[in-house]
Coordinates of all heavy atoms in Angstrom, one line a residue:
M21 N 56.5 -75.5 -108.2 CA 57.6 -75.2 -109.1 C 58.7 -74.5 -108.5 O 58.5 -73.6 -107.6 CB 56.9 -74.4 -110.2 CG 55.9 -75.1 -111.0 SD 55.3 -74.2 -112.6 CE 54.4 -72.9 -111.8
V22 N 59.9 -74.8 -108.9 CA 61.1 -74.2 -108.4 C 62.0 -73.8 -109.6 O 62.0 -74.4 -110.6 CB 62.0 -75.4 -107.8 CG1 63.3 -74.9 -107.1 CG2 61.1 -76.0 -106.6
A23 N 62.4 -72.5 -109.4 CA 63.4 -71.9 -110.3 C 64.8 -72.1 -109.8 O 65.1 -71.8 -108.7 CB 63.1 -70.4 -110.4
V24 N 65.7 -72.6 -110.6 CA 67.1 -72.8 -110.2 C 68.1 -72.1 -111.1 O 67.9 -72.0 -112.3 CB 67.4 -74.4 -110.4 CG1 68.9 -74.6 -110.0 CG2 66.5 -75.3 -109.5
F25 N 68.9 -71.3 -110.3 CA 69.9 -70.5 -111.0 C 71.3 -70.8 -110.6 O 71.7 -71.1 -109.6 CB 69.7 -69.0 -110.6 CG 68.3 -68.5 -111.0 CD1 67.3 -68.4 -109.9 CD2 68.0 -68.0 -112.1 CE1 66.1 -67.9 -110.2 CE2 66.7 -67.4 -112.4 CZ 65.8 -67.5 -111.4
R26 N 72.1 -70.9 -111.7 CA 73.6 -71.0 -111.5 C 74.1 -69.6 -111.6 O 74.1 -68.9 -112.7 CB 74.3 -71.9 -112.5 CG 75.8 -72.1 -112.1 CD 76.5 -73.0 -113.1 NE 75.9 -74.4 -113.1 CZ 76.3 -75.3 -112.3 NH1 77.1 -75.2 -111.3 NH2 75.7 -76.6 -112.4
L27 N 74.8 -69.1 -110.5 CA 75.2 -67.7 -110.6 C 76.6 -67.6 -111.3 O 77.3 -68.6 -111.5 CB 75.3 -67.2 -109.1 CG 74.0 -67.3 -108.3 CD1 74.3 -66.9 -106.9 CD2 72.9 -66.7 -108.9
H28 N 77.0 -66.4 -111.5 CA 78.2 -66.1 -112.3 C 79.5 -66.6 -111.4 O 80.4 -67.0 -112.1 CB 78.5 -64.7 -112.5 CG 77.4 -64.1 -113.4 ND1 76.4 -63.2 -112.9 CD2 77.2 -64.2 -114.7 CE1 75.6 -62.9 -114.1 NE2 76.1 -63.5 -115.2
N29 N 79.3 -66.7 -110.1 CA 80.4 -67.2 -109.3 C 80.3 -68.8 -109.2 O 81.1 -69.3 -108.3 CB 80.4 -66.5 -107.9 CG 79.2 -66.8 -107.1 OD1 78.4 -67.7 -107.5 ND2 79.0 -66.1 -106.1
G30 N 79.4 -69.5 -109.8 CA 79.3 -70.9 -109.7 C 78.4 -71.3 -108.7 O 77.9 -72.6 -108.8
A31 N 77.8 -70.5 -107.8 CA 77.0 -70.9 -106.7 C 75.5 -71.2 -107.4 O 75.3 -70.8 -108.4 CB 76.7 -69.9 -105.8
I32 N 74.8 -72.1 -106.8 CA 73.5 -72.5 -107.3 C 72.5 -72.1 -106.2 O 72.7 -72.2 -105.0 CB 73.4 -74.0 -107.5 CG1 74.4 -74.4 -108.5 CG2 72.0 -74.3 -108.0 CD1 74.5 -76.0 -108.6
R33 N 71.4 -71.4 -106.7 CA 70.2 -71.0 -105.8 C 68.9 -71.6 -106.4 O 68.7 -71.7 -107.7 CB 70.2 -69.5 -105.8 CG 71.4 -68.8 -105.3 CD 71.5 -68.8 -103.8 NE 72.6 -67.9 -103.3 CZ 73.7 -68.4 -102.9 NH1 74.0 -69.8 -103.1 NH2 74.6 -67.7 -102.5
A34 N 68.1 -71.9 -105.5 CA 66.7 -72.4 -106.0 C 65.6 -71.7 -105.0 O 65.8 -71.6 -103.9 CB 66.7 -73.9 -105.6
V35 N 64.6 -71.1 -105.8 CA 63.6 -70.4 -105.1 C 62.3 -70.7 -105.8 O 62.3 -71.4 -106.9 CB 63.9 -68.8 -105.3 CG1 65.0 -68.3 -104.6 CG2 63.9 -68.4 -106.7
S36 N 61.2 -70.4 -105.1 CA 59.9 -70.7 -105.7 C 59.8 -69.9 -107.1 O 60.4 -68.8 -107.2 CB 58.8 -70.3 -104.7 OG 59.0 -69.0 -104.2
A37 N 59.1 -70.7 -108.0 CA 59.2 -70.2 -109.4 C 58.0 -69.2 -109.8 O 58.1 -68.6 -110.9 CB 59.2 -71.3 -110.4
V38 N 57.1 -69.0 -108.9 CA 56.0 -68.1 -109.2 C 56.1 -66.8 -108.3 O 56.2 -66.9 -107.1 CB 54.7 -68.8 -108.8 CG1 53.5 -67.9 -109.1 CG2 54.6 -70.1 -109.8
C39 N 56.1 -65.7 -108.9 CA 56.3 -64.4 -108.2 C 55.1 -64.2 -107.4 O 53.9 -64.2 -107.8 CB 56.5 -63.4 -109.2 SG 56.8 -61.7 -108.5
P40 N 55.3 -63.9 -106.0 CA 54.2 -63.5 -105.2 C 53.5 -62.2 -105.5 O 52.4 -62.0 -105.0 CB 54.9 -63.5 -103.8 CG 56.3 -63.2 -104.1 CD 56.7 -63.8 -105.4
H41 N 54.0 -61.3 -106.3 CA 53.4 -60.2 -106.6 C 52.1 -60.4 -107.5 O 51.0 -60.1 -107.2 CB 54.3 -59.2 -107.4 CG 53.7 -58.0 -107.9 ND1 53.6 -57.6 -109.2 CD2 53.0 -57.0 -107.1 CE1 52.9 -56.4 -109.4 NE2 52.6 -56.2 -108.0
A42 N 52.4 -61.1 -108.7 CA 51.2 -61.4 -109.5 C 51.4 -62.6 -110.4 O 50.9 -62.8 -111.6 CB 50.9 -60.1 -110.5
G43 N 52.1 -63.6 -109.9 CA 52.3 -64.9 -110.5 C 53.4 -64.9 -111.8 O 53.3 -65.9 -112.5
G44 N 54.3 -63.9 -111.8 CA 55.2 -63.8 -112.8 C 56.2 -65.0 -112.9 O 56.4 -65.7 -111.8
P45 N 56.8 -65.3 -114.0 CA 57.7 -66.5 -114.1 C 59.1 -66.1 -113.7 O 60.0 -65.6 -114.4 CB 57.7 -66.7 -115.6 CG 57.6 -65.5 -116.1 CD 56.6 -64.7 -115.2
I46 N 59.5 -66.5 -112.3 CA 60.8 -66.0 -111.8 C 61.9 -66.6 -112.5 O 63.0 -66.0 -112.7 CB 60.8 -66.4 -110.3 CG1 59.8 -65.6 -109.4 CG2 62.2 -66.4 -109.6 CD1 60.2 -64.1 -109.5
A47 N 61.7 -67.9 -113.1 CA 62.7 -68.6 -113.8 C 63.3 -67.7 -115.1 O 64.3 -67.8 -115.5 CB 62.4 -69.9 -114.2
D48 N 62.4 -66.9 -115.5 CA 62.7 -66.0 -116.6 C 63.3 -64.7 -116.3 O 63.6 -63.7 -117.1 CB 61.5 -65.8 -117.5 CG 61.0 -67.0 -118.2 OD1 61.8 -68.0 -118.4 OD2 59.8 -67.0 -118.6
G49 N 63.5 -64.4 -115.0 CA 64.0 -63.1 -114.4 C 65.5 -63.0 -114.7 O 66.3 -63.9 -115.0
L50 N 65.9 -61.8 -114.6 CA 67.4 -61.4 -114.7 C 68.0 -61.6 -113.3 O 67.4 -61.3 -112.3 CB 67.6 -60.0 -115.2 CG 67.1 -59.6 -116.6 CD1 67.2 -58.1 -116.8 CD2 67.8 -60.4 -117.6
I51 N 69.2 -62.1 -113.3 CA 69.9 -62.3 -112.1 C 71.3 -61.6 -112.1 O 71.8 -61.3 -113.2 CB 70.1 -63.7 -111.7 CG1 71.0 -64.4 -112.8 CG2 68.7 -64.4 -111.6 CD1 71.4 -65.9 -112.3
D52 N 71.7 -61.4 -110.8 CA 73.2 -61.1 -110.7 C 73.5 -62.1 -109.6 O 72.9 -63.1 -109.3 CB 73.6 -59.6 -110.4 CG 73.0 -59.2 -109.1 OD1 72.6 -59.9 -108.1 OD2 73.1 -57.9 -108.8
D53 N 74.7 -61.9 -108.9 CA 75.1 -62.8 -107.8 C 74.3 -62.7 -106.6 O 74.6 -63.4 -105.6 CB 76.6 -62.7 -107.5 CG 77.5 -63.3 -108.5 OD1 77.0 -64.1 -109.3 OD2 78.7 -63.0 -108.7
D54 N 73.4 -61.7 -106.5 CA 72.5 -61.6 -105.3 C 71.0 -61.6 -105.4 O 70.4 -62.1 -104.5 CB 72.9 -60.3 -104.6 CG 74.4 -60.2 -104.1 OD1 74.9 -61.2 -103.5 OD2 75.0 -59.2 -104.4
V55 N 70.5 -61.2 -106.5 CA 69.2 -61.0 -106.7 C 68.7 -61.6 -108.0 O 69.4 -61.7 -109.0 CB 68.8 -59.5 -106.5 CG1 69.2 -58.9 -105.2 CG2 69.3 -58.7 -107.7
V56 N 67.2 -61.7 -108.0 CA 66.6 -62.0 -109.2 C 65.5 -60.9 -109.3 O 65.0 -60.5 -108.4 CB 65.9 -63.4 -109.3 CG1 64.9 -63.7 -108.1 CG2 65.2 -63.7 -110.6
I57 N 65.3 -60.5 -110.6 CA 64.5 -59.4 -110.9 C 63.2 -60.1 -111.7 O 63.5 -60.6 -112.8 CB 65.0 -58.3 -111.7 CG1 66.2 -57.7 -110.9 CG2 64.0 -57.2 -112.0 CD1 67.0 -56.6 -111.8
C58 N 62.0 -60.1 -111.2 CA 60.9 -60.7 -111.9 C 60.7 -59.9 -113.3 O 60.7 -58.6 -113.3 CB 59.7 -60.6 -111.1 SG 58.2 -61.3 -111.9
P59 N 60.4 -60.7 -114.3 CA 60.4 -60.0 -115.7 C 59.1 -59.2 -115.8 O 58.9 -58.4 -116.8 CB 60.5 -61.2 -116.6 CG 60.0 -62.3 -115.9 CD 60.5 -62.1 -114.6
L60 N 58.0 -59.5 -115.1 CA 56.7 -58.8 -115.3 C 56.7 -57.4 -114.8 O 56.3 -56.5 -115.6 CB 55.6 -59.6 -114.7 CG 55.2 -60.9 -115.5 CD1 53.9 -61.4 -114.9 CD2 55.2 -60.9 -116.9
H61 N 57.0 -57.2 -113.5 CA 56.9 -55.8 -113.0 C 58.2 -55.4 -112.3 O 58.3 -54.4 -111.5 CB 55.7 -55.7 -112.1 CG 54.5 -56.2 -112.6 ND1 54.1 -57.5 -112.3 CD2 53.7 -55.7 -113.6 CE1 52.9 -57.7 -112.9 NE2 52.7 -56.6 -113.7
Q62 N 59.3 -56.2 -112.5 CA 60.6 -55.8 -112.0 C 60.8 -55.7 -110.4 O 61.6 -55.0 -110.0 CB 61.2 -54.5 -112.7 CG 61.4 -54.7 -114.1 CD 60.2 -54.8 -115.0 OE1 59.3 -54.0 -114.9 NE2 60.1 -55.9 -115.8
H63 N 60.0 -56.5 -109.7 CA 60.2 -56.5 -108.3 C 61.5 -57.4 -108.2 O 61.8 -58.4 -108.9 CB 59.0 -57.1 -107.5 CG 57.9 -56.1 -107.3 ND1 58.1 -55.0 -106.6 CD2 56.7 -56.0 -107.8 CE1 57.0 -54.2 -106.5 NE2 56.1 -54.8 -107.3
I64 N 62.2 -57.1 -107.0 CA 63.5 -57.6 -106.8 C 63.6 -58.4 -105.7 O 63.0 -58.2 -104.5 CB 64.6 -56.5 -106.8 CG1 64.6 -55.7 -107.9 CG2 65.9 -57.1 -106.4 CD1 65.4 -54.3 -107.7
F65 N 64.1 -59.7 -105.7 CA 64.2 -60.6 -104.5 C 65.6 -61.2 -104.4 O 66.3 -61.5 -105.3 CB 63.3 -61.8 -105.0 CG 61.9 -61.5 -105.1 CD1 61.4 -61.2 -106.5 CD2 61.0 -61.5 -104.1 CE1 60.1 -60.8 -106.6 CE2 59.6 -61.1 -104.4 CZ 59.1 -60.8 -105.5
D66 N 66.0 -61.2 -103.2 CA 67.3 -61.7 -102.7 C 67.3 -63.3 -102.9 O 66.4 -64.0 -102.5 CB 67.6 -61.5 -101.2 CG 68.9 -61.8 -100.7 OD1 69.3 -62.9 -100.8 OD2 69.7 -60.9 -100.4
L67 N 68.3 -63.8 -103.7 CA 68.3 -65.2 -104.0 C 68.8 -66.0 -102.8 O 68.4 -67.2 -102.8 CB 69.4 -65.5 -105.1 CG 68.7 -65.0 -106.5 CD1 69.9 -65.0 -107.4 CD2 67.5 -66.0 -107.0
A68 N 69.4 -65.5 -101.8 CA 69.8 -66.2 -100.6 C 68.8 -66.4 -99.6 O 68.5 -67.5 -99.1 CB 71.0 -65.7 -100.0
T69 N 67.9 -65.3 -99.4 CA 66.9 -65.3 -98.4 C 65.5 -65.5 -98.9 O 64.6 -65.7 -98.2 CB 67.0 -64.1 -97.6 OG1 66.6 -62.9 -98.4 CG2 68.4 -63.9 -96.9
G70 N 65.3 -65.0 -100.2 CA 64.0 -65.0 -100.8 C 63.2 -63.6 -100.5 O 62.2 -63.3 -101.2
C71 N 63.8 -62.8 -99.7 CA 63.2 -61.6 -99.2 C 63.1 -60.6 -100.4 O 64.1 -60.4 -101.2 CB 63.9 -60.9 -98.0 SG 63.8 -61.9 -96.6
S72 N 62.1 -60.0 -100.5 CA 61.9 -58.9 -101.5 C 62.6 -57.7 -101.1 O 62.5 -57.1 -99.9 CB 60.4 -58.6 -101.7 OG 60.2 -57.5 -102.6
K73 N 63.2 -57.0 -102.1 CA 63.8 -55.7 -101.7 C 62.9 -54.5 -102.2 O 63.3 -53.4 -102.1 CB 65.2 -55.5 -102.5 CG 66.2 -56.6 -102.0 CD 67.5 -56.5 -102.8 CE 68.6 -57.4 -102.2 NZ 69.1 -56.9 -100.9
T74 N 61.7 -54.9 -102.7 CA 60.8 -54.0 -103.3 C 59.5 -53.9 -102.6 O 58.5 -53.8 -103.3 CB 60.8 -54.0 -104.7 OG1 60.5 -55.4 -105.1 CG2 62.0 -53.6 -105.4
G75 N 59.4 -54.6 -101.4 CA 58.1 -54.6 -100.6 C 57.1 -55.7 -100.9 O 55.9 -55.5 -100.6
Q76 N 57.5 -56.8 -101.5 CA 56.6 -57.8 -101.8 C 56.8 -59.0 -100.8 O 57.8 -59.1 -100.1 CB 56.8 -58.4 -103.3 CG 56.6 -57.3 -104.3 CD 55.2 -56.8 -104.2 OE1 54.3 -57.5 -104.3 NE2 55.1 -55.5 -104.2
P77 N 55.9 -59.9 -100.7 CA 56.1 -61.1 -99.9 C 57.3 -61.8 -100.4 O 57.7 -61.7 -101.6 CB 54.8 -62.0 -100.2 CG 53.7 -60.9 -100.5 CD 54.6 -59.9 -101.3
P78 N 57.9 -62.8 -99.7 CA 59.2 -63.4 -100.1 C 58.9 -64.6 -101.0 O 57.8 -65.2 -101.0 CB 59.8 -63.9 -98.7 CG 58.5 -64.1 -97.8 CD 57.6 -63.0 -98.3
L79 N 59.9 -64.9 -101.7 CA 60.0 -66.2 -102.4 C 60.5 -67.2 -101.4 O 61.1 -66.9 -100.5 CB 61.1 -66.1 -103.6 CG 60.9 -65.1 -104.6 CD1 62.1 -65.2 -105.6 CD2 59.6 -65.5 -105.5
R80 N 60.0 -68.5 -101.6 CA 60.6 -69.6 -100.8 C 62.0 -69.9 -101.3 O 62.2 -70.0 -102.6 CB 59.6 -70.8 -100.8 CG 60.1 -71.9 -100.0 CD 59.1 -72.9 -99.9 NE 59.6 -74.1 -99.0 CZ 58.9 -75.2 -98.9 NH1 57.8 -75.4 -99.4 NH2 59.5 -76.1 -98.2
V81 N 62.9 -70.2 -100.4 CA 64.2 -70.6 -100.8 C 64.4 -72.1 -100.4 O 63.9 -72.6 -99.5 CB 65.2 -69.8 -100.0 CG1 66.6 -70.3 -100.2 CG2 65.2 -68.2 -100.3
Y82 N 64.9 -72.8 -101.4 CA 65.2 -74.3 -101.3 C 66.7 -74.5 -101.1 O 67.5 -73.9 -101.9 CB 64.6 -75.1 -102.4 CG 63.2 -74.8 -102.6 CD1 62.6 -73.9 -103.5 CD2 62.2 -75.6 -101.8 CE1 61.3 -73.6 -103.6 CE2 60.9 -75.5 -102.1 CZ 60.4 -74.5 -103.0 OH 59.1 -74.3 -103.1
D83 N 67.0 -75.6 -100.3 CA 68.5 -76.0 -100.2 C 68.7 -76.7 -101.6 O 68.0 -77.5 -102.0 CB 68.6 -77.0 -99.1 CG 68.7 -76.3 -97.8 OD1 69.2 -75.1 -97.8 OD2 68.4 -76.9 -96.8
V84 N 69.8 -76.5 -102.2 CA 70.1 -77.1 -103.5 C 71.6 -77.4 -103.5 O 72.4 -76.6 -103.0 CB 69.7 -76.3 -104.7 CG1 70.4 -74.9 -104.7 CG2 69.9 -76.9 -106.0
R85 N 72.0 -78.5 -104.2 CA 73.5 -78.8 -104.3 C 73.6 -79.8 -105.5 O 72.6 -80.3 -106.0 CB 74.0 -79.6 -103.1 CG 73.4 -80.9 -102.9 CD 73.9 -81.6 -101.6 NE 73.1 -82.8 -101.3 CZ 73.5 -84.0 -101.8 NH1 74.5 -84.1 -102.7 NH2 72.8 -85.1 -101.6
V86 N 74.9 -80.0 -106.0 CA 75.1 -80.9 -107.0 C 75.9 -82.1 -106.4 O 76.8 -81.8 -105.7 CB 76.0 -80.4 -108.1 CG1 76.4 -81.3 -109.1 CG2 75.3 -79.0 -108.7
D87 N 75.4 -83.2 -106.6 CA 76.0 -84.4 -105.9 C 77.2 -84.8 -106.7 O 77.6 -84.3 -107.7 CB 75.1 -85.5 -105.7 CG 74.6 -86.2 -106.9 OD1 75.1 -86.0 -108.0 OD2 73.6 -87.0 -106.9
D88 N 77.8 -85.9 -106.2 CA 79.2 -86.4 -106.8 C 79.0 -86.9 -108.3 O 79.9 -86.9 -109.0 CB 79.8 -87.5 -105.9 CG 80.1 -87.1 -104.6 OD1 80.4 -85.8 -104.4 OD2 80.2 -87.8 -103.7
D89 N 77.7 -87.2 -108.6 CA 77.5 -87.7 -110.0 C 77.1 -86.5 -110.9 O 76.8 -86.7 -112.1 CB 76.4 -88.8 -110.0 CG 76.8 -89.9 -109.3 OD1 77.9 -90.3 -109.3 OD2 75.8 -90.6 -108.7
G90 N 77.0 -85.3 -110.3 CA 76.7 -84.1 -111.3 C 75.2 -83.9 -111.2 O 74.7 -83.0 -112.0
D91 N 74.4 -84.6 -110.4 CA 73.0 -84.4 -110.5 C 72.6 -83.4 -109.5 O 73.2 -83.1 -108.4 CB 72.3 -85.7 -110.0 CG 72.4 -86.9 -110.9 OD1 72.5 -86.6 -112.1 OD2 72.4 -88.0 -110.6
L92 N 71.6 -82.6 -109.9 CA 71.1 -81.4 -109.2 C 70.2 -82.0 -108.2 O 69.2 -82.5 -108.5 CB 70.5 -80.4 -110.0 CG 70.0 -79.0 -109.4 CD1 71.3 -78.3 -109.0 CD2 69.2 -78.3 -110.4
I93 N 70.4 -81.7 -106.8 CA 69.5 -82.1 -105.8 C 68.8 -80.9 -105.1 O 69.5 -80.1 -104.6 CB 70.2 -82.9 -104.7 CG1 71.1 -84.0 -105.3 CG2 69.3 -83.4 -103.6 CD1 70.4 -85.1 -105.9
V94 N 67.5 -80.8 -105.2 CA 66.8 -79.7 -104.6 C 66.0 -80.3 -103.5 O 65.2 -81.2 -103.6 CB 65.8 -79.0 -105.5 CG1 65.1 -77.9 -104.9 CG2 66.6 -78.4 -106.8
H95 N 66.1 -79.7 -102.3 CA 65.4 -80.2 -101.1 C 64.2 -79.4 -100.9 O 64.2 -78.2 -100.6 CB 66.3 -80.2 -99.8 CG 67.4 -81.1 -99.8 ND1 67.4 -82.4 -99.5 CD2 68.7 -80.9 -100.3 CE1 68.6 -83.0 -99.7 NE2 69.4 -82.1 -100.2
T96 N 63.0 -80.0 -101.2 CA 61.7 -79.2 -101.1 C 61.1 -79.2 -99.8 O 60.2 -78.5 -99.5 CB 60.7 -79.6 -102.2 OG1 60.5 -81.1 -101.9 CG2 61.4 -79.7 -103.6
G97 N 61.6 -80.1 -98.9 CA 61.0 -80.2 -97.7 C 59.7 -81.2 -97.7 O 59.2 -81.4 -96.5
A98 N 59.4 -81.6 -98.8 CA 58.0 -82.4 -98.9 C 58.2 -83.7 -98.1 O 57.2 -84.1 -97.5 CB 57.7 -82.7 -100.3
L99 N 59.3 -84.3 -98.1 CA 59.5 -85.6 -97.3 C 59.3 -85.3 -95.8 O 58.9 -86.2 -95.1 CB 60.7 -86.3 -97.7 CG 60.8 -86.8 -99.1 CD1 62.2 -87.4 -99.4 CD2 59.7 -87.8 -99.4
E100 N 59.8 -84.2 -95.3 CA 59.7 -83.9 -93.9 C 58.3 -83.7 -93.4 O 58.1 -84.0 -92.2 CB 60.5 -82.7 -93.6 CG 62.0 -82.8 -93.9 CD 62.7 -81.5 -93.9 OE1 62.2 -80.5 -93.3 OE2 63.8 -81.4 -94.2
A101 N 57.4 -83.4 -94.3 CA 56.1 -83.3 -93.9 C 55.2 -84.6 -93.7 O 54.2 -84.6 -93.0 CB 55.3 -82.4 -94.8
R102 N 55.8 -85.7 -94.2 CA 55.1 -87.0 -94.0 C 55.2 -87.6 -92.7 O 56.2 -87.4 -92.0 CB 55.6 -87.9 -95.1 CG 55.2 -87.4 -96.5 CD 55.7 -88.4 -97.6 NE 55.4 -87.8 -98.9 CZ 55.6 -88.3 -100.0 NH1 56.1 -89.5 -100.1 NH2 55.2 -87.8 -101.2
Ligands
FES24 S1 54.5 -60.7 -111.2 FE1 56.6 -60.5 -110.5 S2 56.9 -58.5 -110.3 FE2 54.8 -58.6 -110.7

């Protein structure tokens, strides 16, 4: 599962949707232009790197873009593993 956010500055970020602390729903977290705060216990993760600012394991970060047709493209890396 992937959580995708459009930031106030228009940038798009995609990170793993399950919080590594205790499985919280990252997609329901509060964001600013740099971080997401998990709604369950308020651990904080950098949206660009996935790194926790509060001592937790990192979120996975995915490359994401909007193509010329306006479709959201998230690169999960799954095809590279085949
Ligand atoms: S489950 Fe996300 S901070 Fe605890």
Side-chain angles (χ1 to χ4, degrees):
M21 293 189 289
V22 177
V24 178
F25 300 98
R26 184 181 301 274
L27 308 181
H28 295 108
N29 65 10
I32 300 172
R33 299 281 187 261
V35 297
S36 45
V38 179
C39 180
H41 176 239
I46 290 295
D48 293 338
L50 295 175
I51 62 166
D52 66 10
D53 281 343
D54 298 313
V55 300
V56 58
I57 304 171
C58 180
L60 287 195
H61 309 101
Q62 289 72 52
H63 282 294
I64 302 170
F65 300 90
D66 186 297
L67 284 168
T69 67
C71 292
S72 172
K73 295 179 176 288
T74 51
Q76 298 304 307
L79 296 173
R80 183 170 177 189
V81 175
Y82 300 95
D83 287 335
V84 61
R85 66 181 174 86
V86 176
D87 71 10
D88 293 340
D89 296 325
D91 294 325
L92 187 70
I93 308 295
V94 178
H95 295 273
T96 63
L99 294 178
E100 296 173 10
R102 292 182 183 180

